[in-house]
Amino acid sequence: MDNNDKEARHNRAMEKQKAAVDAGVAAATTDRGVAVLLTGDGKGKTSSAFGMVLRALGYNQNVGVIQFIKGVQLSGEEHYLRDHCPDVEFYQMGTGFTWDTQDRSGDIAAAERTWEQAANMLANPQLDLVILDELTYMLAFKYLSEDTVLKAIEARPEHQSVVVTGRGGGSALRSVMDTVSEIKDVEHAYRAGIQARKGVDY
Amino acid sequence: MDNNDKEARHNRAMEKQKAAVDAGVAAATTDRGVAVLLTGDGKGKTSSAFGMVLRALGYNQNVGVIQFIKGVQLSGEEHYLRDHCPDVEFYQMGTGFTWDTQDRSGDIAAAERTWEQAANMLANPQLDLVILDELTYMLAFKYLSEDTVLKAIEARPEHQSVVVTGRGGGSALRSVMDTVSEIKDVEHAYRAGIQARKGVDY
């Protein structure tokens, strides 16, 4: 195939793809905030949520961030928000992983305190984007009432987007989400004996 | 099961999990930059890469970002980097999607110009993190030599991490990656007629 043929074939393929993309764009007419679930075992759930924080801040939107579980060890995202984003509402449960605390009642009390903050954010029409990082574990361990959580997500202001991260999540949670991405762990540096990396993994 | 039983069962399960986690942490002894591929059809690849940018900046690391394809339409990440992160090296191919340009030779020339910037970043020991957003399409379309790209990724400074995003990617690319996450599109708001959302999707 000479270069002209390649160009012609390329153009035909691209015209077809453009038509499909344009039709999709034209069909999407609803303008409202979305609920996004990032789940699965692979690397990229929390980092994706924080990429959306960065995007939203790029449009000067108002952002709220809740981190369930996390908050004992410092992370790049915590450093960044505290040092550079004083306007982002940021709350961490701060207990660490449940296998570190080994204290079920204490974890539940902390989860409930953290949920109060989350519920306030989900009810706040000033916020364009709310991140509920690692929320799924609170549901999996039954530290929070699934019914309460799902109702608050559904009742949020129409223009507000919400991003939930964490493994699992269950069918009830998925049913109130507009977008669900399942991040599959195909390979992880960790299994090759490479340490978690500052700025990448935390 | 009464509450004491629940606590005891919980503690046994958590002790077991903690032992497994601790053993994994102890086994990871290699300290170097990692190569991460975020691929698959689902939402979250580019946003995850930018979450790592935010993390790295939280540790005052030096970051370089290349966006292949993108750059015709403004995005939240572009706004944010230009307005708030003058120290981040940022380069966009700026041609838009291949189905919009419908110009194969022009796209190839643009890809090669963009690759020059990427190659410079991958050779720069000052940079802790390099993002190569949507690079996989340049390989899929054969706009860039896979051999050249993989060699540059492999030859980068030892402490430098690199994140590649985009659908596909192929087995040769995967073989030089330490971490591979495949983001599966379980559900997308777009298919329910909801428009792409500022601060979430772009």
mmCIF file of all heavy atoms in Angstrom, chain A residues 17-67:
data_model
loop_
_atom_site.group_PDB
_atom_site.id
_atom_site.type_symbol
_atom_site.label_atom_id
_atom_site.label_comp_id
_atom_site.label_asym_id
_atom_site.label_seq_id
_atom_site.Cartn_x
_atom_site.Cartn_y
_atom_site.Cartn_z
ATOM 1 N N GLN A 17 -15.266 7.326 12.204
ATOM 2 C CA GLN A 17 -15.147 7.453 13.662
ATOM 3 C C GLN A 17 -15.687 8.808 14.122
ATOM 4 O O GLN A 17 -16.370 8.914 15.129
ATOM 5 C CB GLN A 17 -13.683 7.292 14.068
ATOM 6 C CG GLN A 17 -13.518 7.114 15.571
ATOM 7 C CD GLN A 17 -12.178 6.535 15.954
ATOM 8 O OE1 GLN A 17 -11.362 6.204 15.096
ATOM 9 N NE2 GLN A 17 -11.937 6.405 17.250
ATOM 10 N N LYS A 18 -15.389 9.844 13.313
ATOM 11 C CA LYS A 18 -15.868 11.189 13.671
ATOM 12 C C LYS A 18 -17.396 11.231 13.679
ATOM 13 O O LYS A 18 -18.000 11.824 14.568
ATOM 14 C CB LYS A 18 -15.312 12.227 12.688
ATOM 15 C CG LYS A 18 -15.746 13.664 13.039
ATOM 16 C CD LYS A 18 -15.035 14.687 12.187
ATOM 17 C CE LYS A 18 -15.663 16.075 12.326
ATOM 18 N NZ LYS A 18 -15.853 16.526 13.711
ATOM 19 N N ALA A 19 -18.009 10.572 12.701
ATOM 20 C CA ALA A 19 -19.472 10.554 12.630
ATOM 21 C C ALA A 19 -20.044 9.904 13.886
ATOM 22 O O ALA A 19 -21.019 10.395 14.473
ATOM 23 C CB ALA A 19 -19.927 9.806 11.381
ATOM 24 N N ALA A 20 -19.410 8.799 14.319
ATOM 25 C CA ALA A 20 -19.889 8.092 15.521
ATOM 26 C C ALA A 20 -19.723 8.969 16.760
ATOM 27 O O ALA A 20 -20.629 9.076 17.594
ATOM 28 C CB ALA A 20 -19.134 6.781 15.686
ATOM 29 N N VAL A 21 -18.552 9.620 16.863
ATOM 30 C CA VAL A 21 -18.289 10.489 18.017
ATOM 31 C C VAL A 21 -19.271 11.661 18.027
ATOM 32 O O VAL A 21 -19.879 11.975 19.057
ATOM 33 C CB VAL A 21 -16.825 11.005 18.003
ATOM 34 C CG1 VAL A 21 -16.627 12.094 19.048
ATOM 35 C CG2 VAL A 21 -15.849 9.856 18.232
ATOM 36 N N ASP A 22 -19.466 12.294 16.860
ATOM 37 C CA ASP A 22 -20.376 13.443 16.771
ATOM 38 C C ASP A 22 -21.806 13.053 17.150
ATOM 39 O O ASP A 22 -22.498 13.806 17.840
ATOM 40 C CB ASP A 22 -20.357 14.034 15.359
ATOM 41 C CG ASP A 22 -19.035 14.752 15.071
ATOM 42 O OD1 ASP A 22 -18.245 14.941 16.016
ATOM 43 O OD2 ASP A 22 -18.799 15.101 13.899
ATOM 44 N N ALA A 23 -22.239 11.877 16.715
ATOM 45 C CA ALA A 23 -23.595 11.420 17.035
ATOM 46 C C ALA A 23 -23.735 11.227 18.545
ATOM 47 O O ALA A 23 -24.752 11.593 19.137
ATOM 48 C CB ALA A 23 -23.899 10.116 16.299
ATOM 49 N N GLY A 24 -22.691 10.675 19.172
ATOM 50 C CA GLY A 24 -22.707 10.478 20.623
ATOM 51 C C GLY A 24 -22.801 11.800 21.359
ATOM 52 O O GLY A 24 -23.587 11.956 22.296
ATOM 53 N N VAL A 25 -22.015 12.771 20.916
ATOM 54 C CA VAL A 25 -22.014 14.091 21.547
ATOM 55 C C VAL A 25 -23.394 14.743 21.404
ATOM 56 O O VAL A 25 -23.932 15.317 22.354
ATOM 57 C CB VAL A 25 -20.906 14.994 20.946
ATOM 58 C CG1 VAL A 25 -21.053 16.428 21.427
ATOM 59 C CG2 VAL A 25 -19.524 14.444 21.301
ATOM 60 N N ALA A 26 -23.985 14.623 20.227
ATOM 61 C CA ALA A 26 -25.296 15.237 19.979
ATOM 62 C C ALA A 26 -26.375 14.584 20.838
ATOM 63 O O ALA A 26 -27.336 15.231 21.249
ATOM 64 C CB ALA A 26 -25.659 15.117 18.491
ATOM 65 N N ALA A 27 -26.219 13.283 21.131
ATOM 66 C CA ALA A 27 -27.235 12.559 21.903
ATOM 67 C C ALA A 27 -27.159 12.878 23.398
ATOM 68 O O ALA A 27 -28.125 12.661 24.131
ATOM 69 C CB ALA A 27 -27.084 11.058 21.683
ATOM 70 N N ALA A 28 -25.997 13.369 23.854
ATOM 71 C CA ALA A 28 -25.838 13.674 25.285
ATOM 72 C C ALA A 28 -26.335 15.089 25.530
ATOM 73 O O ALA A 28 -25.647 16.063 25.248
ATOM 74 C CB ALA A 28 -24.379 13.524 25.698
ATOM 75 N N THR A 29 -27.552 15.199 26.034
ATOM 76 C CA THR A 29 -28.179 16.518 26.169
ATOM 77 C C THR A 29 -28.437 16.908 27.627
ATOM 78 O O THR A 29 -28.805 18.040 27.901
ATOM 79 C CB THR A 29 -29.524 16.560 25.415
ATOM 80 O OG1 THR A 29 -30.301 15.458 25.862
ATOM 81 C CG2 THR A 29 -29.314 16.444 23.911
ATOM 82 N N THR A 30 -28.283 15.957 28.542
ATOM 83 C CA THR A 30 -28.539 16.252 29.954
ATOM 84 C C THR A 30 -27.316 16.899 30.584
ATOM 85 O O THR A 30 -26.212 16.384 30.478
ATOM 86 C CB THR A 30 -28.880 14.957 30.720
ATOM 87 O OG1 THR A 30 -29.940 14.294 30.031
ATOM 88 C CG2 THR A 30 -29.309 15.267 32.152
ATOM 89 N N ASP A 31 -27.553 18.040 31.227
ATOM 90 C CA ASP A 31 -26.457 18.817 31.813
ATOM 91 C C ASP A 31 -26.623 18.833 33.330
ATOM 92 O O ASP A 31 -27.420 19.606 33.862
ATOM 93 C CB ASP A 31 -26.525 20.246 31.245
ATOM 94 C CG ASP A 31 -25.376 21.110 31.740
ATOM 95 O OD1 ASP A 31 -24.385 20.556 32.239
ATOM 96 O OD2 ASP A 31 -25.500 22.345 31.632
ATOM 97 N N ARG A 32 -25.890 17.945 33.998
ATOM 98 C CA ARG A 32 -25.981 17.917 35.468
ATOM 99 C C ARG A 32 -24.722 17.275 36.043
ATOM 100 O O ARG A 32 -23.930 16.674 35.313
ATOM 101 C CB ARG A 32 -27.229 17.158 35.920
ATOM 102 C CG ARG A 32 -27.259 15.672 35.559
ATOM 103 C CD ARG A 32 -28.337 14.956 36.401
ATOM 104 N NE ARG A 32 -28.522 13.569 36.004
ATOM 105 C CZ ARG A 32 -27.751 12.554 36.409
ATOM 106 N NH1 ARG A 32 -26.708 12.785 37.184
ATOM 107 N NH2 ARG A 32 -28.014 11.314 36.031
ATOM 108 N N GLY A 33 -24.552 17.387 37.337
ATOM 109 C CA GLY A 33 -23.433 16.740 38.010
ATOM 110 C C GLY A 33 -23.539 15.235 37.895
ATOM 111 O O GLY A 33 -24.638 14.696 37.762
ATOM 112 N N VAL A 34 -22.412 14.564 37.936
ATOM 113 C CA VAL A 34 -22.404 13.113 37.791
ATOM 114 C C VAL A 34 -21.851 12.456 39.059
ATOM 115 O O VAL A 34 -21.082 13.065 39.807
ATOM 116 C CB VAL A 34 -21.561 12.665 36.573
ATOM 117 C CG1 VAL A 34 -22.266 13.051 35.283
ATOM 118 C CG2 VAL A 34 -20.154 13.256 36.621
ATOM 119 N N ALA A 35 -22.275 11.213 39.260
ATOM 120 C CA ALA A 35 -21.738 10.400 40.352
ATOM 121 C C ALA A 35 -20.831 9.349 39.737
ATOM 122 O O ALA A 35 -21.253 8.592 38.870
ATOM 123 C CB ALA A 35 -22.877 9.745 41.130
ATOM 124 N N VAL A 36 -19.574 9.341 40.177
ATOM 125 C CA VAL A 36 -18.562 8.465 39.579
ATOM 126 C C VAL A 36 -18.038 7.507 40.650
ATOM 127 O O VAL A 36 -17.653 7.936 41.742
ATOM 128 C CB VAL A 36 -17.377 9.299 39.026
ATOM 129 C CG1 VAL A 36 -16.293 8.390 38.449
ATOM 130 C CG2 VAL A 36 -17.859 10.297 37.984
ATOM 131 N N LEU A 37 -18.010 6.223 40.335
ATOM 132 C CA LEU A 37 -17.411 5.228 41.230
ATOM 133 C C LEU A 37 -16.149 4.663 40.581
ATOM 134 O O LEU A 37 -16.190 4.182 39.451
ATOM 135 C CB LEU A 37 -18.397 4.079 41.499
ATOM 136 C CG LEU A 37 -17.829 2.874 42.270
ATOM 137 C CD1 LEU A 37 -17.384 3.267 43.690
ATOM 138 C CD2 LEU A 37 -18.852 1.729 42.335
ATOM 139 N N LEU A 38 -15.031 4.769 41.307
ATOM 140 C CA LEU A 38 -13.769 4.173 40.854
ATOM 141 C C LEU A 38 -13.466 3.007 41.775
ATOM 142 O O LEU A 38 -13.172 3.207 42.958
ATOM 143 C CB LEU A 38 -12.658 5.214 40.915
ATOM 144 C CG LEU A 38 -12.902 6.424 40.005
ATOM 145 C CD1 LEU A 38 -12.160 7.631 40.513
ATOM 146 C CD2 LEU A 38 -12.504 6.121 38.571
ATOM 147 N N THR A 39 -13.581 1.808 41.240
ATOM 148 C CA THR A 39 -13.438 0.636 42.087
ATOM 149 C C THR A 39 -12.454 -0.357 41.461
ATOM 150 O O THR A 39 -11.744 -0.015 40.525
ATOM 151 C CB THR A 39 -14.838 0.010 42.345
ATOM 152 O OG1 THR A 39 -14.708 -1.034 43.291
ATOM 153 C CG2 THR A 39 -15.473 -0.497 41.083
ATOM 154 N N GLY A 40 -12.375 -1.552 42.015
ATOM 155 C CA GLY A 40 -11.434 -2.559 41.501
ATOM 156 C C GLY A 40 -10.153 -2.598 42.307
ATOM 157 O O GLY A 40 -9.893 -1.735 43.157
ATOM 158 N N ASP A 41 -9.323 -3.620 42.043
ATOM 159 C CA ASP A 41 -8.112 -3.888 42.836
ATOM 160 C C ASP A 41 -6.887 -3.117 42.355
ATOM 161 O O ASP A 41 -5.840 -3.147 43.014
ATOM 162 C CB ASP A 41 -7.742 -5.375 42.727
ATOM 163 C CG ASP A 41 -8.811 -6.248 43.360
ATOM 164 O OD1 ASP A 41 -9.657 -5.692 44.080
ATOM 165 O OD2 ASP A 41 -8.789 -7.463 43.121
ATOM 166 N N GLY A 42 -6.963 -2.485 41.206
ATOM 167 C CA GLY A 42 -5.766 -1.911 40.583
ATOM 168 C C GLY A 42 -5.396 -0.537 41.105
ATOM 169 O O GLY A 42 -6.189 0.137 41.781
ATOM 170 N N LYS A 43 -4.179 -0.114 40.771
ATOM 171 C CA LYS A 43 -3.695 1.218 41.129
ATOM 172 C C LYS A 43 -4.403 2.270 40.293
ATOM 173 O O LYS A 43 -4.523 2.106 39.085
ATOM 174 C CB LYS A 43 -2.187 1.277 40.826
ATOM 175 C CG LYS A 43 -1.516 2.530 41.373
ATOM 176 C CD LYS A 43 -0.982 3.439 40.318
ATOM 177 C CE LYS A 43 -0.368 4.696 40.897
ATOM 178 N NZ LYS A 43 -1.136 5.367 41.955
ATOM 179 N N GLY A 44 -4.845 3.377 40.921
ATOM 180 C CA GLY A 44 -5.396 4.477 40.145
ATOM 181 C C GLY A 44 -6.709 5.053 40.632
ATOM 182 O O GLY A 44 -7.209 6.000 40.040
ATOM 183 N N LYS A 45 -7.265 4.505 41.691
ATOM 184 C CA LYS A 45 -8.582 4.984 42.134
ATOM 185 C C LYS A 45 -8.480 6.348 42.823
ATOM 186 O O LYS A 45 -9.110 7.313 42.410
ATOM 187 C CB LYS A 45 -9.205 3.966 43.108
ATOM 188 C CG LYS A 45 -9.451 2.602 42.472
ATOM 189 C CD LYS A 45 -10.088 1.604 43.436
ATOM 190 C CE LYS A 45 -9.162 1.088 44.515
ATOM 191 N NZ LYS A 45 -8.038 0.287 44.045
ATOM 192 N N THR A 46 -7.685 6.410 43.880
ATOM 193 C CA THR A 46 -7.546 7.676 44.599
ATOM 194 C C THR A 46 -6.857 8.718 43.727
ATOM 195 O O THR A 46 -7.253 9.891 43.708
ATOM 196 C CB THR A 46 -6.749 7.463 45.910
ATOM 197 O OG1 THR A 46 -7.507 6.602 46.768
ATOM 198 C CG2 THR A 46 -6.479 8.775 46.623
ATOM 199 N N SER A 47 -5.835 8.288 42.981
ATOM 200 C CA SER A 47 -5.143 9.274 42.136
ATOM 201 C C SER A 47 -6.097 9.851 41.097
ATOM 202 O O SER A 47 -6.044 11.040 40.792
ATOM 203 C CB SER A 47 -3.870 8.696 41.496
ATOM 204 O OG SER A 47 -4.117 7.508 40.826
ATOM 205 N N SER A 48 -7.000 9.033 40.562
ATOM 206 C CA SER A 48 -7.962 9.561 39.594
ATOM 207 C C SER A 48 -8.877 10.590 40.247
ATOM 208 O O SER A 48 -9.172 11.648 39.662
ATOM 209 C CB SER A 48 -8.780 8.410 39.010
ATOM 210 O OG SER A 48 -9.710 8.906 38.095
ATOM 211 N N ALA A 49 -9.311 10.308 41.474
ATOM 212 C CA ALA A 49 -10.159 11.267 42.185
ATOM 213 C C ALA A 49 -9.427 12.607 42.345
ATOM 214 O O ALA A 49 -10.008 13.679 42.136
ATOM 215 C CB ALA A 49 -10.554 10.710 43.550
ATOM 216 N N PHE A 50 -8.128 12.544 42.680
ATOM 217 C CA PHE A 50 -7.389 13.789 42.870
ATOM 218 C C PHE A 50 -7.064 14.483 41.553
ATOM 219 O O PHE A 50 -6.912 15.706 41.506
ATOM 220 C CB PHE A 50 -6.156 13.563 43.750
ATOM 221 C CG PHE A 50 -6.532 13.525 45.198
ATOM 222 C CD1 PHE A 50 -6.845 12.326 45.825
ATOM 223 C CD2 PHE A 50 -6.669 14.702 45.917
ATOM 224 C CE1 PHE A 50 -7.255 12.305 47.146
ATOM 225 C CE2 PHE A 50 -7.085 14.686 47.238
ATOM 226 C CZ PHE A 50 -7.376 13.482 47.854
ATOM 227 N N GLY A 51 -7.003 13.723 40.477
ATOM 228 C CA GLY A 51 -6.892 14.358 39.160
ATOM 229 C C GLY A 51 -8.139 15.180 38.863
ATOM 230 O O GLY A 51 -8.060 16.268 38.277
ATOM 231 N N MET A 52 -9.296 14.691 39.288
ATOM 232 C CA MET A 52 -10.528 15.461 39.089
ATOM 233 C C MET A 52 -10.542 16.699 39.978
ATOM 234 O O MET A 52 -11.066 17.736 39.583
ATOM 235 C CB MET A 52 -11.748 14.565 39.303
ATOM 236 C CG MET A 52 -11.882 13.561 38.155
ATOM 237 S SD MET A 52 -13.360 12.529 38.250
ATOM 238 C CE MET A 52 -12.624 10.943 38.691
ATOM 239 N N VAL A 53 -9.963 16.597 41.177
ATOM 240 C CA VAL A 53 -9.816 17.788 42.022
ATOM 241 C C VAL A 53 -9.030 18.853 41.265
ATOM 242 O O VAL A 53 -9.434 20.018 41.181
ATOM 243 C CB VAL A 53 -9.098 17.438 43.353
ATOM 244 C CG1 VAL A 53 -8.711 18.709 44.107
ATOM 245 C CG2 VAL A 53 -9.986 16.542 44.220
ATOM 246 N N LEU A 54 -7.908 18.444 40.693
ATOM 247 C CA LEU A 54 -7.058 19.379 39.945
ATOM 248 C C LEU A 54 -7.830 19.985 38.762
ATOM 249 O O LEU A 54 -7.797 21.199 38.528
ATOM 250 C CB LEU A 54 -5.802 18.624 39.487
ATOM 251 C CG LEU A 54 -4.683 19.377 38.781
ATOM 252 C CD1 LEU A 54 -3.317 18.761 39.129
ATOM 253 C CD2 LEU A 54 -4.868 19.291 37.267
ATOM 254 N N ARG A 55 -8.560 19.132 38.030
ATOM 255 C CA ARG A 55 -9.385 19.632 36.921
ATOM 256 C C ARG A 55 -10.404 20.651 37.396
ATOM 257 O O ARG A 55 -10.569 21.716 36.786
ATOM 258 C CB ARG A 55 -10.159 18.464 36.301
ATOM 259 C CG ARG A 55 -9.394 17.710 35.304
ATOM 260 C CD ARG A 55 -10.293 16.688 34.624
ATOM 261 N NE ARG A 55 -9.494 16.023 33.592
ATOM 262 C CZ ARG A 55 -9.677 14.799 33.176
ATOM 263 N NH1 ARG A 55 -10.668 14.072 33.660
ATOM 264 N NH2 ARG A 55 -8.912 14.292 32.242
ATOM 265 N N ALA A 56 -11.118 20.314 38.452
ATOM 266 C CA ALA A 56 -12.170 21.205 38.958
ATOM 267 C C ALA A 56 -11.568 22.535 39.407
ATOM 268 O O ALA A 56 -12.118 23.610 39.127
ATOM 269 C CB ALA A 56 -12.928 20.524 40.101
ATOM 270 N N LEU A 57 -10.414 22.470 40.078
ATOM 271 C CA LEU A 57 -9.753 23.710 40.519
ATOM 272 C C LEU A 57 -9.301 24.530 39.312
ATOM 273 O O LEU A 57 -9.229 25.755 39.381
ATOM 274 C CB LEU A 57 -8.568 23.386 41.430
ATOM 275 C CG LEU A 57 -8.928 22.745 42.785
ATOM 276 C CD1 LEU A 57 -7.658 22.360 43.546
ATOM 277 C CD2 LEU A 57 -9.800 23.673 43.631
ATOM 278 N N GLY A 58 -9.008 23.855 38.213
ATOM 279 C CA GLY A 58 -8.644 24.561 36.976
ATOM 280 C C GLY A 58 -9.776 25.447 36.472
ATOM 281 O O GLY A 58 -9.552 26.435 35.785
ATOM 282 N N TYR A 59 -11.004 25.090 36.807
ATOM 283 C CA TYR A 59 -12.175 25.900 36.445
ATOM 284 C C TYR A 59 -12.665 26.734 37.633
ATOM 285 O O TYR A 59 -13.806 27.219 37.609
ATOM 286 C CB TYR A 59 -13.313 24.997 35.952
ATOM 287 C CG TYR A 59 -13.039 24.376 34.598
ATOM 288 C CD1 TYR A 59 -12.849 23.012 34.460
ATOM 289 C CD2 TYR A 59 -12.983 25.158 33.443
ATOM 290 C CE1 TYR A 59 -12.597 22.437 33.219
ATOM 291 C CE2 TYR A 59 -12.733 24.602 32.201
ATOM 292 C CZ TYR A 59 -12.547 23.243 32.100
ATOM 293 O OH TYR A 59 -12.298 22.685 30.872
ATOM 294 N N ASN A 60 -11.817 26.867 38.650
ATOM 295 C CA ASN A 60 -12.181 27.625 39.860
ATOM 296 C C ASN A 60 -13.452 27.110 40.520
ATOM 297 O O ASN A 60 -14.228 27.880 41.096
ATOM 298 C CB ASN A 60 -12.344 29.124 39.533
ATOM 299 C CG ASN A 60 -11.039 29.720 39.058
ATOM 300 O OD1 ASN A 60 -10.001 29.534 39.681
ATOM 301 N ND2 ASN A 60 -11.076 30.397 37.919
ATOM 302 N N GLN A 61 -13.678 25.820 40.420
ATOM 303 C CA GLN A 61 -14.837 25.241 41.089
ATOM 304 C C GLN A 61 -14.542 25.053 42.582
ATOM 305 O O GLN A 61 -13.392 25.078 43.009
ATOM 306 C CB GLN A 61 -15.199 23.890 40.447
ATOM 307 C CG GLN A 61 -15.700 24.032 39.009
ATOM 308 C CD GLN A 61 -16.096 22.703 38.388
ATOM 309 O OE1 GLN A 61 -15.941 21.639 38.985
ATOM 310 N NE2 GLN A 61 -16.616 22.761 37.168
ATOM 311 N N ASN A 62 -15.606 24.864 43.349
ATOM 312 C CA ASN A 62 -15.471 24.616 44.785
ATOM 313 C C ASN A 62 -15.460 23.122 45.048
ATOM 314 O O ASN A 62 -16.338 22.404 44.577
ATOM 315 C CB ASN A 62 -16.611 25.276 45.554
ATOM 316 C CG ASN A 62 -16.589 26.783 45.378
ATOM 317 O OD1 ASN A 62 -15.540 27.412 45.498
ATOM 318 N ND2 ASN A 62 -17.745 27.365 45.067
ATOM 319 N N VAL A 63 -14.467 22.696 45.805
ATOM 320 C CA VAL A 63 -14.229 21.269 45.973
ATOM 321 C C VAL A 63 -14.190 20.895 47.449
ATOM 322 O O VAL A 63 -13.616 21.620 48.269
ATOM 323 C CB VAL A 63 -12.883 20.886 45.310
ATOM 324 C CG1 VAL A 63 -12.583 19.401 45.501
ATOM 325 C CG2 VAL A 63 -12.882 21.256 43.826
ATOM 326 N N GLY A 64 -14.791 19.755 47.768
ATOM 327 C CA GLY A 64 -14.704 19.175 49.105
ATOM 328 C C GLY A 64 -14.128 17.775 49.010
ATOM 329 O O GLY A 64 -14.477 17.028 48.104
ATOM 330 N N VAL A 65 -13.244 17.445 49.937
ATOM 331 C CA VAL A 65 -12.591 16.135 49.911
ATOM 332 C C VAL A 65 -12.688 15.475 51.280
ATOM 333 O O VAL A 65 -12.313 16.079 52.292
ATOM 334 C CB VAL A 65 -11.094 16.260 49.533
ATOM 335 C CG1 VAL A 65 -10.399 14.897 49.617
ATOM 336 C CG2 VAL A 65 -10.927 16.863 48.145
ATOM 337 N N ILE A 66 -13.203 14.251 51.296
ATOM 338 C CA ILE A 66 -13.212 13.448 52.515
ATOM 339 C C ILE A 66 -12.367 12.210 52.256
ATOM 340 O O ILE A 66 -12.559 11.522 51.259
ATOM 341 C CB ILE A 66 -14.641 12.971 52.847
ATOM 342 C CG1 ILE A 66 -15.605 14.147 53.005
ATOM 343 C CG2 ILE A 66 -14.614 12.047 54.074
ATOM 344 C CD1 ILE A 66 -15.662 14.750 54.367
ATOM 345 N N GLN A 67 -11.420 11.949 53.159
ATOM 346 C CA GLN A 67 -10.679 10.696 53.051
ATOM 347 C C GLN A 67 -11.043 9.786 54.218
ATOM 348 O O GLN A 67 -10.670 10.050 55.357
ATOM 349 C CB GLN A 67 -9.167 10.953 53.002
ATOM 350 C CG GLN A 67 -8.734 11.608 51.689
ATOM 351 C CD GLN A 67 -7.236 11.454 51.414
ATOM 352 O OE1 GLN A 67 -6.412 11.983 52.150
ATOM 353 N NE2 GLN A 67 -6.899 10.741 50.340
#
